[in-house]
Amino acid sequence: TPPDPELFNAFRKVVLTRAQVNGAFFTEAGLTLAIDGALQRMDVDSVRQPAGQTAAQPPSPALARAGAALPIR
C-alpha cells in the first residue's frame, strides 16, 4: 500500500526543520550554507575564537562576511 500522504508530509517536515542542516562539505557554497544553517540552528550570530588562537584566513570572500565561522588554527 502507498504511504499515508499526511504522515509522510509530517515526517518530511520534521526531517527538514529539525534533523538536517542544508549544505554540503564539497563546495564553498555548500559549506557556507552549512555554516549559516548550523549557526542559525544554534541561535548564534558569530563564533568567537578562544584566547590565544586566531582564525584561519577564509578560502573565499563568501566566507569572510560577518557571522561566518572560520576554522581555528
Side-chain angles (χ1 to χ4, degrees):
T1 61
D4 178 326
E6 189 176 334
L7 184 59
F8 173 77
N9 287 333
F11 171 76
R12 184 175 185 272
K13 182 179 178 180
V14 168
V15 170
L16 292 174
T17 61
R18 300 289 180 193
Q20 295 181 339
V21 174
N22 197 13
F25 293 107
F26 309 107
T27 65
E28 288 182 34
L31 282 170
T32 299
L33 276 174
I35 290 167
D36 290 346
L39 290 173
Q40 209 172 43
R41 181 73 54 89
M42 293 184 290
D43 198 24
V44 174
D45 290 329
S46 64
V47 177
R48 282 194 260 156
Q49 302 301 319
Q53 294 183 336
T54 59
Q57 293 301 314
S60 76
L63 291 177
R65 72 189 191 300
L70 300 174
I72 298 172
R73 285 193 179 158

